[in-house]
Amino acid sequence: MRDTDLLEMALGLTPPWQVSSSDFDPKQRRLDIKIDFPRGSTFTCPECGEDNVKAYDTEEKTWRHLNFFQHETYLVARVPRIQCDKCGIRLIDVPWARSGSGFSLFFEAMIMTLAKAMPVKTIAAFVNEHDTRLWRVLHHYVDKARNNSDYSEVREVGVDETSSKRGHKYVSLFVDLKGPRVLFATEGKDASTVERFKQDLTDHKGNPENIKEVCCDMSPAFISGVENQFPKARLTFDKFHIMKIINEAVDEVRRQEQKDCPELARTRYIWLKNPKNLKLTQVGILKELTVKKLNLKTSRAYHIRLNFQELFTQAPEMAEAYLKKWYFWATHSRLEPIKQAAYTIKRHWDGVLRWFHSNINNGILEGINSLIQAAKAKARGYRTSRNLITMIYLIGGKLAFSLPT
Ligand SMILES: [Zn+2]
C-alpha cells in the first residue's frame, strides 16, 4: 500500500478526491497532505445542486486537521471553481471542511468535544491556535444547532440572570423547566429580554400561549415583562430568591445590632445557614450568643426566618393561612429590615403561594445555576457576552450537533 492510499483511507476520501502527495517536515513538526482530483472531474454546484459541472479553475486552500502524532497536520487542496448555468461562478464545497472554515470537520469536532470539558483558552494553547478562531467554530455549531431546536412542547419557563464581566453586564436566561435546558440567553436584565425571548420562542416553533407557568425572581422588569408578553402565564417566585430577601433582612438586623453587641461580628453565616448545616463550633457560638443575651434582635430575626422556611413544608391548603400568620408576626416584630422583607412578600403574595400549585422544583434552578458557573469557567477570559452565551448553550442547551465522529 502506498502511503498516499493509507492517508486517503484515513481521511475517508471518495472520488474524485485523492491524496496526491504528502510532505513531512520534522523540523517544523508539520505534515502537509495534498489532496487533488484528476483532470476532467466534475462537481456539484453548492448553490442549486446541479451535478456534473466541470471546474474551470482552482483556488489553493489549506485546512488544519487532527495532528499526526505530535505533528501539526494540514490538508492542502486545489478547490475548483465552477461555472453553473443558473448560479454563475461558485467555489465548490469540499467534503472534509465546511465552506469558509480553515479547519477540517474532524478538527472542529475535536474542538467541540473539548470545549464541553475545558476552558477555550486552554484548548487554544493546547492546539496552538488563537482562541478567536476556536470561538468562531463554537459560534457556528451552536447557532446551527439552535436553528434546528424545537420549542413547541415548552410549557414551563424559569427566568434568571447572571452577571458577566465582574458584575457590570448581565445575561438573562430562559430555561425550559421540563428539560431542563437553556432555551434562550440574552444580554441585559430588563423587560426587553422577555420580549426577545418571546420572539426566539416563536422562531423555534414555540407558542407563547402555551406558556402556563413562569418562575422568576421578584425583579419588576421580569414581572412586567412576563405579564405583558405571556398573559396566560402564572408567576411563581422561586424559593431560592424569596429566601434571599429574608436572609438579607436577617443580616441587616445583625449588622445594625453589632454596634451594641460586638460579639455578633463574623457570625453572619451562622444566622443564614440552617441549624442542621452548622459546624459544631458554630452551634456552640450560636448557643452561647442566645443564652447569654436573651433579647438579641438578631436571634428574633433568625427565628422569623426559620419560621418562614417552614412555609414550604406546609400542605398546599394550609399554606396561605400559615403565610398570613407569619406575615402578622414579621410585621409586628419591631425589626425594620424584617418588616420591609415582609412587605415585599405581601406585594408578591400570589406568586409566593403559586409555588404550591406549580410545584416548580427549586433543584432545577440550582442545577441551572451550577451549569452557568461551569459555562463561566469554560468561557474564562471571554471577551464578549456572546462567548459566554454560546458557552451557556453548549453546556446547558441540550443541543444536537451534526459532527463527524
Ligand atoms: Zn448552481
Side-chain angles (χ1 to χ4, degrees):
M1 190 192 264
R2 295 178 308 156
D3 60 346
T4 49
D5 291 342
L6 175 67
L7 290 170
E8 230 166 81
M9 280 170 66
L11 287 168
L13 292 184
T14 50
W17 297 106
Q18 57 194 36
V19 171
S20 60
S21 67
S22 64
D23 183 10
F24 181 53
D25 184 342
K27 266 208 202 110
Q28 301 283 329
R29 297 162 60 111
R30 174 173 172 139
L31 171 68
D32 285 278
I33 301 173
K34 295 246 163 65
I35 301 174
D36 211 342
F37 57 91
R39 194 186 270 273
S41 302
T42 57
F43 300 92
T44 308
C45 173
E47 202 89 4
C48 67
E50 175 76 13
D51 258 339
N52 299 318
V53 193
K54 279 213 172 92
Y56 86 95
D57 72 352
T58 59
E59 216 173 274
E60 189 176 272
K61 298 224 176 265
T62 305
W63 300 266
R64 173 88 189 265
H65 189 56
L66 298 175
N67 279 12
F68 176 67
F69 297 96
Q70 69 272 43
H71 311 288
E72 284 186 11
T73 301
Y74 293 83
L75 308 178
V76 186
R78 302 189 296 136
V79 181
R81 287 204 292 175
I82 55 160
Q83 179 139 27
C84 173
D85 290 342
K86 277 185 236 156
C87 316
I89 294 167
R90 290 284 182 280
L91 199 65
I92 67 133
D93 288 333
V94 294
W96 57 84
R98 62 188 171 85
S99 80
S101 173
F103 300 130
S104 73
L105 291 173
F106 277 103
F107 190 87
E108 293 189 336
M110 177 188 71
I111 299 302
M112 295 302 290
T113 305
L114 293 179
K116 286 182 190 167
M118 62 172 89
V120 174
K121 260 200 172 341
T122 311
I123 305 170
F126 174 59
V127 299
N128 192 26
E129 293 286 349
H130 197 278
D131 67 342
T132 309
R133 295 191 76 194
L134 305 190
W135 278 113
R136 231 175 271 147
V137 173
L138 264 67
H139 292 318
H140 169 82
Y141 285 103
V142 166
D143 290 352
K144 194 173 145 201
R146 278 199 80 239
N147 281 343
N148 299 328
S149 292
D150 184 336
Y151 295 170
S152 57
E153 297 300 316
V154 177
R155 302 284 181 273
E156 295 182 355
V157 172
V159 193
D160 206 353
E161 88 242 353
T162 186
S163 64
S164 78
K165 290 275 171 194
R166 290 171 192 78
H168 291 305
K169 278 190 177 170
Y170 288 87
V171 169
S172 293
L173 292 112
F174 297 80
V175 176
D176 176 5
L177 294 174
K178 278 276 152 62
R181 59 173 167 164
V182 176
L183 298 169
F184 183 61
T186 184
E187 258 185 56
K189 56 168 184 172
D190 53 16
S192 76
T193 60
V194 185
E195 219 176 305
R196 290 199 288 282
F197 167 60
K198 185 186 183 179
Q199 184 59 53
D200 190 76
L201 182 80
T202 315
D203 291 345
H204 292 93
K205 300 178 197 147
N207 181 357
E209 304 261 300
N210 286 346
I211 307 299
K212 298 288 193 267
E213 301 284 345
V214 174
C215 176
C216 64
D217 63 19
M218 295 179 190
S219 109
F222 285 151
I223 295 170
S224 76
V226 172
E227 282 170 354
N228 290 326
Q229 306 299 328
F230 297 95
K232 296 263 166 77
R234 301 285 301 264
L235 274 171
T236 297
F237 298 116
D238 84 279
K239 191 172 149 184
F240 177 79
H241 285 108
I242 301 171
M243 284 315 299
K244 207 171 128 192
I245 285 165
I246 309 275
N247 281 340
E248 278 166 7
V250 173
D251 198 50
E252 185 53 35
V253 172
R254 181 193 65 83
R255 271 188 288 153
Q256 286 174 11
E257 196 172 31
Q258 195 182 307
K259 289 167 198 148
D260 309 316
C261 178
E263 294 100 310
L264 284 170
R266 286 187 299 278
T267 62
R268 178 166 190 230
Y269 291 101
I270 293 181
W271 309 101
L272 301 185
K273 273 192 188 173
N274 288 334
K276 68 174 166 53
N277 295 332
L278 289 176
K279 287 186 200 134
L280 222 54
T281 49
Q282 292 175 318
V283 176
I285 296 169
L286 185 66
K287 251 191 200 153
E288 213 183 295
L289 277 170
T290 43
V291 170
K292 248 205 222 157
K293 305 225 167 196
L294 283 175
N295 286 317
L296 266 186
K297 287 177 182 166
T298 309
S299 174
R300 269 197 294 140
Y302 171 70
H303 283 102
I304 291 171
R305 170 177 85 83
L306 290 180
N307 216 267
F308 182 82
Q309 219 161 264
E310 288 297 306
L311 170 70
F312 297 101
T313 63
Q314 304 301 308
E317 63 276 16
M318 306 299 290
E320 183 160 19
Y322 186 95
L323 187 59
K324 274 185 182 159
K325 251 199 270 169
W326 178 87
Y327 177 76
F328 183 85
W329 184 24
T331 49
H332 289 76
S333 65
R334 284 168 290 122
L335 303 168
E336 198 50 38
I338 292 290
K339 278 163 71 179
Q340 290 307 324
Y343 297 145
T344 303
I345 300 293
K346 181 76 174 174
R347 282 196 303 274
H348 300 85
W349 197 258
D350 291 342
V352 171
L353 290 169
R354 185 69 194 159
W355 181 82
F356 290 91
H357 299 277
S358 60
N359 256 318
I360 285 172
N361 183 347
N362 301 289
I364 293 171
L365 287 166
E366 278 161 38
I368 296 291
N369 205 283
S370 65
L371 171 161
I372 293 165
Q373 297 314 317
K376 280 183 173 174
K378 288 182 189 72
R380 203 171 62 200
Y382 48 90
R383 278 174 292 275
T384 66
S385 302
R386 183 166 186 224
N387 288 354
L388 176 61
I389 287 170
T390 286
M391 194 49 79
I392 288 172
Y393 286 137
L394 179 68
I395 299 194
K398 300 210 167 148
L399 297 170
F401 297 105
S402 52
L403 281 159
T405 47

